[in-house]
Amino acid sequence: NEYKSYLRESSMSQSRWALSLTSFMDRFDYNLSHKCAIFSKQESVPENLMKFFYIGKALEILGSSAITIPVTFTLSLIYKDDPTQTILLNATLFQLYNIVLIGIIKGYVKRKRPHYCETNTLFLTKGVDMYSFPSGHTVQMTLLSTMAIMYLNGNALKLVIITISLLISLMRVVSGRHFISDVFCGAIIGFISTQVYIPLLWIRAETIAKFVPFIRN
């Protein structure tokens, strides 16, 4: 039985508290997540859905920190006006903070990825990224969506960012990379982390101009 094998492998590396947490989540979403993972194996995807399979993979790559962090930083170099540049630089830093936070949580909880997950479908899976909880893509995209809602003026652009964020999070389940609870909790962590970083770790425009003047030039 694949599920029993999954539980046995998980319990070997988890603390008692982490095992209790993941066992609780498994009761609710293990089977449902498996049913939703229609794109977990490329060879089993129907021909008429292949274009959606590739769109989904493109969205997953787009939502990776390896893409979003360089993009937000590059945009901060393009937009020189104080408010926009400050927001983009802080968004870049917040994502870096989240990488540390996600790594700590994954390393502690050690929830194995779904047994039907193809680990070679995206970037190489190393270190704590072999673990499933929480969804790092969802944490980061929720952070960016929350900041977009708070700081962007155009409703159309906000809607685009939120829609892309939701699709990326959905694809993490549909592609078999995560359980539903990984994504749900990732969204909560992403939102809470944003609310913590902004009042406590926000870097003001004057500080940026003082310590990294080349960004202003």
Side-chain angles (χ1 to χ4, degrees):
N1 185 296
E2 291 178 323
Y3 178 60
K4 289 182 179 179
S5 175
Y6 160 83
L7 289 178
R8 186 165 55 251
E9 290 180 20
S10 296
S11 62
M12 291 173 64
S13 60
Q14 290 179 301
S15 67
R16 180 175 297 180
W17 184 90
L19 181 59
S20 298
L21 173 65
T22 55
S23 297
F24 175 78
M25 291 188 293
D26 285 344
R27 290 194 204 103
F28 289 94
D29 74 344
Y30 185 92
N31 291 327
L32 181 59
S33 298
H34 195 180
K35 290 177 182 177
C36 291
I38 58 174
F39 290 168
S40 60
K41 297 184 184 298
Q42 183 173 348
E43 60 271 18
S44 62
V45 178
E47 188 65 33
N48 62 327
L49 294 180
M50 282 304 296
K51 62 181 178 181
F52 297 107
F53 173 84
Y54 290 118
I55 291 171
K57 292 302 175 187
L59 283 170
E60 285 191 277
I61 294 171
L62 178 65
S64 167
S65 295
I67 302 297
T68 59
I69 291 175
V71 166
T72 52
F73 181 69
T74 301
L75 288 174
S76 74
L77 299 178
I78 295 172
Y79 292 96
K80 297 292 186 179
D81 59 291
D82 280 350
T84 305
Q85 187 177 68
T86 302
I87 292 166
L88 288 166
L89 279 172
N90 277 285
T92 303
L93 290 172
F94 293 171
Q95 290 177 84
L96 291 171
Y97 303 155
N98 267 348
I99 287 177
V100 177
L101 176 62
I102 293 163
I104 291 171
I105 297 173
K106 286 194 177 200
Y108 180 74
V109 177
K110 295 182 179 178
R111 187 186 199 187
K112 291 184 67 66
R113 289 190 183 270
H115 69 268
Y116 44 84
C117 166
E118 291 189 343
T119 55
N120 62 343
T121 55
L122 261 174
F123 303 107
L124 291 176
T125 303
K126 293 182 178 180
V128 294
D129 198 45
M130 72 177 67
Y131 300 121
S132 188
F133 181 90
S135 165
H137 281 63
T138 304
V139 173
Q140 301 289 48
M141 293 309 299
T142 302
L143 180 147
L144 293 174
S145 296
T146 304
M147 293 189 71
I149 292 169
M150 295 174 69
Y151 296 110
L152 288 182
N153 293 321
N155 288 331
L157 185 54
K158 288 181 184 179
L159 182 61
V160 168
I161 293 174
I162 293 168
T163 301
I164 291 174
S165 176
L166 290 171
L167 289 173
I168 289 171
S169 298
L170 175 66
M171 276 305 304
R172 301 305 284 164
V173 176
V174 174
S175 66
R177 295 281 291 168
H178 284 286
F179 299 105
I180 293 170
S181 53
D182 298 333
V183 171
F184 178 76
C185 292
I188 294 174
I189 293 168
F191 177 78
I192 293 175
S193 66
T194 311
Q195 303 308 310
V196 171
Y197 296 154
I198 289 174
L200 296 181
L201 298 173
W202 186 269
I203 298 179
R204 298 180 180 276
E206 313 86 73
T207 306
I208 295 171
K210 182 178 179 180
F211 291 100
V212 278
F214 72 91
I215 293 214
R216 293 293 189 198
N217 299 327

